[in-house]
Amino acid sequence: MANRYVLRMDLPQSWAIVDVFTGQPAVIRQKVMVGMSPREAEDMVVQMNVGDIRRRERAERKG
């Protein structure tokens, strides 16, 4: 499965997590995922993609 979320550099040392389906920055708990440190962004994008893969796998099993 392809990853839904990717990293994009906003400014040097400032990253955003972008939803590849919409092309827009991701929003988690009403927080826009922009202006993040490299480490924070890398950790978060991994967690978000793992969660998305799990959701899609559950949906496929039900469908």
Side-chain angles (χ1 to χ4, degrees), residues 5-57:
Y5 302 101
V6 296
L7 296 177
R8 295 278 192 261
M9 186 183 288
D10 286 335
L11 300 167
Q13 299 302 311
S14 178
W15 293 83
I17 299 174
V18 175
D19 182 328
V20 298
F21 297 150
T22 67
Q24 299 295 314
V27 178
I28 302 296
R29 296 184 185 108
Q30 299 179 339
K31 181 180 179 199
V32 181
M33 299 285 107
V34 297
M36 303 172 75
S37 71
R39 173 93 186 225
E40 178 185 27
E42 288 173 7
D43 290 346
M44 182 63 75
V45 80
V46 168
Q47 291 176 31
M48 291 171 68
N49 281 318
V50 167
D52 181 62
I53 288 168
R54 288 180 180 154
R55 280 189 297 278
R56 288 193 274 168
E57 287 174 345

